[in-house]
Amino acid sequence: MTLPSSEKLSEQLFRKYQAGFELHTWSTAPQGSGLGTSSILAGVILAALLRSTGCTASIDSLIHAVMIVEQMLTTGGGWQDNVGGLMPGFNIARSQATLPLKVEVEKLNLPQATIDALAKRLLCIYSGKPRLAKYLLQVHWWE
């Protein structure tokens, strides 16, 4: 597979493998749950597409690529979900307010006792109210 290419992905796959593939995804998380499901699925799909064509990408590249996919899908999401869904463990993610965006991720090495204490106390509750980033980001905080 060649990136970028004037040839469609399906054409490249057919030329290399004489076949394509069909990908099915699903999530049991409600749409707009705020769990970052679309970013996580986009990251997994991109990684699978790359691997199936013999290519690889760094985690930083995947985080950036998912951000582009989210913009193409007009979900309006940022990069926080990409980091949270693609990077294992506990991390701090930062970016300067400049373009092009450069996300920096710092891995936190927490003691096991802290991880255990967090696991006992954290709970995810869905309120039933969808929260899509593209709508949240349109709210003017100064109004």
Side-chain angles (χ1 to χ4, degrees), residues 8-46:
K8 292 181 182 178
L9 175 61
S10 59
E11 294 166 346
Q12 292 183 58
L13 289 171
F14 190 79
R15 182 174 31 79
K16 186 170 183 175
Y17 300 109
Q18 291 73 50
F21 61 89
E22 187 173 323
L23 181 66
H24 296 264
T25 64
W26 69 93
S27 171
T28 57
Q31 182 181 7
S33 66
L35 295 174
T37 311
S38 64
S39 295
I40 295 167
L41 283 173
V44 170
I45 290 168
L46 287 171

Side-chain angles (χ1 to χ4, degrees), residues 99-118:
L99 292 175
L101 193 66
K102 171 73 173 115
V103 178
E104 296 175 7
V105 181
E106 176 186 350
K107 180 150 183 65
L108 299 178
N109 293 313
L110 299 178
Q112 189 60 47
T114 303
I115 295 170
D116 293 342
L118 286 170

Side-chain angles (χ1 to χ4, degrees), residues 38-39 42 65-78 82:
S38 64
S39 295
V66 169
M67 189 169 43
I68 292 169
V69 168
E70 291 280 353
Q71 295 306 312
M72 291 169 62
L73 295 174
T74 67
T75 55
N82 312 4

Side-chain angles (χ1 to χ4, degrees), residues 30-34 75-77 129-138:
Q31 182 181 7
S33 66
T75 55
K129 182 177 181 182
R131 291 172 177 84
L132 298 176
K134 69 178 176 182
Y135 301 126
L136 290 175
L137 296 172
Q138 291 175 358

Side-chain angles (χ1 to χ4, degrees), residues 52-127:
S52 71
T53 56
C55 297
T56 59
S58 69
I59 197 72
D60 291 335
S61 295
L62 274 178
I63 288 168
H64 183 72
V66 169
M67 189 169 43
I68 292 169
V69 168
E70 291 280 353
Q71 295 306 312
M72 291 169 62
L73 295 174
T74 67
T75 55
W79 44 264
Q80 299 85 350
D81 290 343
N82 312 4
V83 173
L86 298 174
M87 296 287 298
F90 293 87
N91 305 284
I92 295 176
R94 298 179 181 96
S95 177
Q96 296 293 322
T98 60
L99 292 175
L101 193 66
K102 171 73 173 115
V103 178
E104 296 175 7
V105 181
E106 176 186 350
K107 180 150 183 65
L108 299 178
N109 293 313
L110 299 178
Q112 189 60 47
T114 303
I115 295 170
D116 293 342
L118 286 170
K120 285 181 184 177
R121 291 169 175 84
L122 292 178
L123 181 63
C124 182
I125 300 174
Y126 178 55
S127 68

